[in-house]
Amino acid sequence: MNGILLINKEKGMTSHDVVAQLRRILHIKKIGHSGTLDPNATGVLLVLVGRACKVLPFLEDTDKEYIATMELGKKTISDDIWEEVLDEKPVIPINDFQKELDSFKGVIQQVPPMISSVKVNGKKLYEYARNHEEVVRPVRSVEIYDIEALNEEELKFRVSCSSGTYVRSLCHDIAAQTGNYGCMSSLVRTKVGRFSLEDCVTLEDVKNGNYTLHPIKEILDGYECIAYTPLKDIYNGKHVRMNTTSDRVAILDQEDVIAIYERDHKDVFRCVRGLW
């Protein structure tokens, strides 16, 4: 069994919990996931089954879409409502929520939350937080492609963004721009790359056999796919010549992706990952 499962993660479960349950349901050990969702978040979780686990390093730049709500008046260690409150202050009403959101479109600088897996000197930020250690958090560039107010009264919005964007940090920064404390109060991931929430199934669906195992090719749709011959050169991991402008390509055996190749020099490509 090899391919991609699209799971609608339930609230109260970690992404690791989902993988552990799927291993028991499908009786397969080789299962992983791409793009961790916090326990209190729900929505699209890409689960990699069998050989599909090998493509994980090539999915780091997958864009995401979320629907989130934020709460004003509280500053928390995690930039969401589920962790320690550090401070509170009276709320300053936001008169034009969409205008504030629009100012975050494009490439922005973000400081990740202390409760996150971003590493500083080989140690994750949440480990510093749990040990009550001070550390300078790295500033990172992310891109907000689109952001739309869905309910101004509830401070609910939809955001389409690059991989690595923390919506919790975005809520913090939107609030700060209006003179408020603020944190995220709910989060649903509605898209990962080309896959949306409508494509997903629940763990219960998988238990009942009601699911689709998507081919690896679907998750690598950003790559040019090439049916190279002779295929034995690919299976032997040889350097090969290809006439393409792409610097990284997916090699097909019929409709199955069997390797990722990247340009070595001129028209010579080398194997960076065999997927057979």
Side-chain angles (χ1 to χ4, degrees):
M1 182 179 280
N2 305 293
I4 312 298
L5 268 177
L6 304 174
I7 299 295
N8 182 357
K9 191 190 83 67
E10 302 170 15
K11 191 173 182 178
M13 300 182 70
T14 66
S15 300
H16 179 74
D17 290 338
V18 173
V19 168
Q21 287 206 30
L22 287 171
R23 284 174 178 156
R24 289 193 292 270
I25 295 168
L26 300 173
H27 307 291
I28 296 175
K29 288 185 177 181
K30 201 169 184 181
I31 298 181
H33 68 83
S34 170
T36 301
L37 271 176
D38 293 335
N40 288 295
T42 65
V44 183
L45 182 69
L46 262 61
V47 177
L48 313 173
V49 181
R51 288 193 295 107
C53 291
K54 295 183 178 182
V55 305
L56 183 59
F58 306 99
L59 305 180
E60 295 174 352
D61 297 327
T62 308
D63 297 331
K64 313 288 197 307
E65 181 187 88
Y66 299 90
I67 291 177
T69 56
M70 54 187 286
E71 181 177 321
L72 301 179
K74 293 180 181 178
K75 177 181 180 181
T76 71
I77 192 170
S78 57
D79 290 335
D80 63 34
I81 62 170
W82 298 290
E83 294 286 347
E84 179 187 356
V85 176
L86 302 176
D87 198 8
E88 296 184 57
K89 69 179 181 180
V91 171
I92 302 170
I94 299 177
N95 295 322
D96 190 339
F97 189 39
Q98 184 62 58
K99 182 180 178 181
E100 299 297 339
L101 296 179
D102 285 341
S103 69
F104 284 85
K105 283 184 181 178
V107 177
I108 63 171
Q109 304 301 303
Q110 265 196 348
V111 177
M114 275 303 298
I115 304 297
S116 68
S117 58
V118 174
K119 287 187 177 181
V120 175
N121 299 324
K123 191 173 175 180
K124 295 177 180 178
L125 285 177
Y126 69 76
E127 294 176 300
Y128 288 102
R130 288 175 180 172
N131 294 330
H132 304 288
E133 297 178 68
E134 295 289 335
V135 65
V136 177
R137 289 176 281 170
V139 178
R140 311 192 309 170
S141 292
V142 298
E143 186 169 1
I144 306 299
Y145 305 122
D146 192 30
I147 188 164
E148 174 191 13
L150 300 178
N151 187 313
E152 299 224 359
E153 185 177 343
E154 296 179 3
L155 300 180
K156 184 178 183 179
F157 63 94
R158 178 188 61 81
V159 58
S160 175
C161 54
S162 62
S163 181
T165 302
Y166 277 94
V167 181
R168 288 182 281 149
S169 297
L170 187 59
C171 289
H172 170 278
D173 294 344
I174 293 166
Q177 182 168 277
T178 65
N180 283 290
Y181 285 154
C183 54
M184 188 181 75
S185 55
S186 72
L187 184 69
V188 180
R189 185 154 68 196
T190 50
K191 284 185 181 179
V192 176
R194 62 184 289 269
F195 301 112
S196 66
L197 198 53
E198 290 73 27
D199 300 316
C200 295
V201 296
T202 64
L203 286 174
E204 191 63 29
D205 290 328
V206 179
K207 285 180 184 177
N208 294 327
N210 300 322
Y211 64 89
T212 298
L213 194 63
H214 298 264
I216 295 171
K217 182 180 177 182
E218 287 191 23
I219 205 169
L220 294 173
D221 61 347
Y223 287 72
E224 180 183 357
C225 291
I226 293 178
Y228 182 86
T229 56
L231 276 173
K232 65 179 182 179
D233 289 350
I234 303 301
Y235 283 110
N236 288 328
K238 289 185 177 181
H239 283 48
V240 298
R241 294 184 182 275
M242 286 185 275
N243 183 21
T244 175
T245 58
S246 301
D247 289 327
R248 184 175 276 183
V249 299
I251 307 296
L252 298 179
D253 182 349
Q254 297 182 36
E255 289 301 305
D256 191 20
V257 178
I258 58 168
I260 304 294
Y261 267 67
E262 71 177 14
R263 192 181 303 277
D264 186 77
H265 64 278
K266 295 184 179 179
D267 63 345
V268 177
F269 285 71
R270 65 182 181 88
C271 181
V272 290
R273 189 59 158 162
L275 304 178
W276 55 85

